[in-house]
Amino acid sequence: MTAHIRPDLASIPAYVPGRNFPGAIKLASNETTVGPLPGVRDAVADAVANANRYPDNAAVALIEALASFLKVEPANVAAGCGSVTLCQELVQITCDQGDEVIYAWRSFEAYPVVTQVGHAVSVKVPLTEDFGHDLDAMLAAITDRTRLIFVCNPNNPTGNALSKAELESFLDAVPTHVVVALDEAYFEYSRSDADGIELFRSRPNVVVLRTFSKAYGLAGIRVGYAVADPEIIVALGKVHTPFTVSAVAQAAAIASLAAADELLARTEGVIAERTRVRSALIEAGYTVPESSANFVYLPLGELSPGFAEASTEAGILIRQYGVEGVRMTIGDPHENDAFLAFANTDVAKQAAGIGVTA
Ligand SMILES: *Cc1c(COP(=O)(O)O)cnc(C)c1O
């Protein structure tokens, strides 16, 4: 006898770790390039000294720090082991078997997985021609089975950001019993006027998701948070796997919030590099949509696998999305230069179909 496993899980690909090798330039995961600040390291070391104790399951100190930072009430905040677990918990609190979750596609790869694992059904709405959310089509996709809508702003992997006005008119048109998750993992890199924390205040069905993994540089420590009406926050607590936000994660997040000015100032450098990289790629002949995040997207279509492979051969790891495109994280200037040097080679241009006449 073999163990009975849910047959539908067969359609979820088993996790395949990205390729890595010594000396590789890692531009595949939207990480920051710098390690934690000394004060954050100290807080982590102190937390490690008490590692024999369970963490505070309610993350009281972190929730209070977040609430005062965001100017909301502690009852509006939930912490998670990365915001990806909060995505999963949102499906769990909203969906029964067969209920529908709407999101744009391409978008964050976790959405289809957490939806299916939660016994719900994905309704994927194609991006617009310029790689942004098609909010009208998303509204049109709402049915009486819709329970949750993810809006990834700026969108991963395409970088496109929605404006406040676009989001407001969308939110005003969504039935109030449908939960809308504004996934703002890259909020700190965006200079759009859309700020979920402003939008959720008058809308009890809006949840804002943010993370310490990207601009705050704590991807390896795993902590993110949700901001919403207390009713949603209480429900998230019910499905939360106990103690998944470790004491180390809580301490690191609190120390990082205390250093927010210094950490957020770094986003200016990333944005300057993003602008420089995008211009250089366009000059080299690539199509590059405008990005409001710490990455750029190259819609190479069926040429994507070959281009990603050539980039890996050149020692630079980027992320490939099937036969749609590739995403390159903005790294340090010398790393970006290495990618640009590759992108200007004949090998890369040939892989990208540049200069090829039909
Ligand atoms: C990186 C990312 C997250 C969250 O990452 P965690 O490390 O789990 O906090 C959430 N949404 C999007 C779109 C992301 O790219």
Side-chain angles (χ1 to χ4, degrees):
M1 278 254 298
T2 51
H4 175 84
I5 305 287
R6 281 169 54 181
D8 75 285
L9 295 186
S11 66
I12 298 179
Y15 181 75
V16 184
R19 255 174 82 182
N20 198 2
F21 45 85
I25 295 178
K26 295 186 69 184
L27 301 178
S29 300
N30 298 344
E31 299 148 339
T32 52
T33 54
V34 267
L37 294 171
V40 176
R41 284 176 205 242
D42 290 348
V44 165
D46 288 349
V48 168
N50 290 308
N52 53 312
R53 303 291 177 189
Y54 275 102
D56 172 7
N57 193 42
V60 170
L62 172 58
I63 299 289
E64 279 176 1
L66 281 166
S68 87
F69 182 76
L70 300 165
K71 302 187 174 55
V72 300
E73 295 301 319
N76 293 124
V77 186
C81 176
S83 62
V84 70
T85 61
L86 292 159
C87 293
Q88 180 148 26
E89 292 174 5
L90 281 170
V91 175
Q92 290 176 311
I93 68 165
T94 55
C95 293
D96 285 318
Q97 177 116 30
D99 283 340
E100 293 169 359
V101 179
I102 297 176
Y103 50 87
W105 199 247
R106 280 279 171 178
S107 191
F108 187 35
E109 285 147 296
Y111 301 153
V113 177
V114 298
T115 299
Q116 187 180 336
V117 169
H119 299 280
V121 175
S122 282
V123 177
K124 298 179 176 179
V125 176
L127 295 171
T128 59
E129 259 171 34
D130 54 358
F131 308 101
H133 281 79
D134 189 340
L135 294 178
D136 289 336
M138 291 175 77
L139 284 176
I142 295 173
T143 71
D144 57 4
R145 295 303 299 270
T146 305
R147 299 288 177 268
L148 177 63
I149 304 176
F150 285 109
V151 178
C152 186
N153 191 43
N155 189 47
N156 177 11
T158 58
N160 195 297
L162 293 160
S163 70
K164 178 180 173 182
E166 287 171 313
L167 267 178
E168 275 179 334
S169 60
F170 173 74
L171 293 173
D172 289 345
V174 174
T176 51
H177 65 272
V178 174
V179 172
V180 181
L182 301 178
D183 185 343
E184 298 188 333
Y186 302 96
F187 173 78
E188 294 83 1
Y189 295 108
S190 175
R191 297 298 176 263
S192 150
D193 61 353
D195 178 348
I197 303 298
E198 259 177 56
L199 296 168
F200 103 96
R201 291 182 194 277
S202 55
R203 294 179 172 86
N205 63 326
V206 169
V207 186
V208 185
L209 299 177
R210 292 193 187 164
T211 178
F212 286 92
S213 295
K214 307 287 160 57
Y216 282 88
L218 296 181
I221 281 188
R222 315 301 307 130
V223 53
Y225 56 95
V227 180
D229 188 83
E231 206 185 338
I232 291 178
I233 299 300
V234 167
L236 287 172
K238 296 188 181 182
V239 300
H240 184 73
T241 305
F243 307 117
T244 44
V245 186
S246 74
V248 168
Q250 294 182 37
I254 291 168
S256 297
L257 273 184
D261 288 350
E262 189 174 343
L263 291 168
L264 296 180
R266 292 176 179 170
T267 61
E268 296 301 335
V270 173
I271 291 170
E273 278 294 286
R274 176 177 83 202
T275 306
R276 180 179 78 91
V277 168
R278 177 167 179 256
S279 307
L281 288 171
I282 289 172
E283 190 159 329
Y286 294 84
T287 299
V288 193
E290 204 172 333
S291 170
S292 291
N294 64 337
F295 51 80
V296 291
Y297 183 70
L298 308 181
L300 295 170
E302 60 192 21
L303 299 175
S304 305
F307 185 85
E309 181 59 30
S311 179
T312 303
E313 295 294 318
I316 305 159
L317 306 174
I318 57 174
R319 184 70 139 263
Q320 178 206 334
Y321 294 90
V323 289
E324 286 162 56
V326 300
R327 186 194 68 195
M328 173 241 172
T329 301
I330 301 299
D332 282 339
H334 73 276
E335 297 174 320
N336 301 332
D337 283 342
F339 181 77
L340 291 174
F342 159 71
N344 272 296
T345 60
D346 287 345
V347 170
K349 289 194 175 186
Q350 210 160 28
I354 293 169
V356 179
T357 42

